[in-house]
Amino acid sequence: MYASVSGQIHKVCSSEKEAIAKVRELIDLICNQQIEYEDNEKPREIYVLPQESNKIYDMREFVKNYLDNGYLYELKERFAKSMFTGLGRIKGKTVGILASQPQFDAGVINYDASDKAAAFVRFCDAFDIPGYCILMLKPLQ
């Protein structure tokens, strides 16, 4: 309930060990905001948005194209699913990602989604994490 209805919990884990690992990942992203970056990523399949405006797509997969190793640490993933928030790295620098998610409620930004977005912006501001906002309800033509 606290994760999906009120959005007061960022992560839900099935074990204490998993919870500790997730907290360590988060602390690493917050505390080590700039790590040495080498552009030696293996080529990976690029997620392309559909050209048809009525097709549903996963914005998370699109965003992962631009993050180092395609790694996205999502926050409040069970709350206000039409908006997603997360942390990742671009060229070794930690960044916050805020985007609409067309897979849920057609990406509509309702009260809960706007509350989630505002809380995430405050979170990033508190830790001096630069943010990127992507609000796309249909693919670019």
Side-chain angles (χ1 to χ4, degrees):
M1 179 175 115
Y2 291 108
S4 59
V5 177
S6 67
Q8 296 302 308
I9 295 176
H10 284 283
K11 287 281 183 194
V12 175
C13 300
S14 58
S15 69
E16 185 178 345
K17 186 175 182 178
E18 181 187 358
I20 290 169
K22 291 295 180 184
V23 168
R24 284 184 176 157
E25 286 178 51
L26 180 60
I27 289 172
D28 182 55
L29 283 164
I30 292 171
C31 295
N32 298 321
Q33 289 189 29
Q34 180 68 50
I35 61 169
E36 191 154 329
Y37 173 77
E38 291 182 28
D39 192 13
N40 58 359
E41 289 186 34
K42 297 175 185 165
R44 62 180 185 267
E45 187 175 329
I46 299 296
Y47 184 85
V48 180
L49 297 178
Q51 290 300 311
E52 302 84 12
S53 61
N54 62 346
K55 296 284 183 184
I56 296 173
Y57 57 93
D58 186 357
M59 188 58 114
R60 281 186 221 100
E61 295 303 317
F62 177 73
V63 167
K64 287 178 184 178
N65 289 334
Y66 301 97
L67 299 175
D68 296 353
N69 300 318
Y71 175 74
L72 175 67
Y73 185 92
E74 193 170 351
L75 298 167
K76 292 189 181 186
E77 55 202 270
R78 294 185 181 195
F79 177 67
K81 291 182 177 184
S82 64
M83 174 73 66
F84 87 84
T85 55
L87 299 171
R89 286 199 166 103
I90 296 177
K91 295 192 175 183
K93 177 134 180 82
T94 299
V95 294
I97 306 290
L98 171 65
S100 63
Q101 176 56 286
Q103 278 190 324
F104 301 97
D105 301 329
V108 171
I109 302 170
N110 58 17
Y111 174 81
D112 286 338
S114 62
D115 187 43
K116 178 179 179 177
F120 182 70
V121 168
R122 288 190 302 270
F123 173 84
C124 287
D125 186 50
F127 294 103
D128 292 324
I129 298 172
Y132 291 90
C133 181
I134 304 167
L135 300 172
M136 258 176 30
L137 298 179
K138 66 178 190 173
L140 300 173
Q141 299 296 327

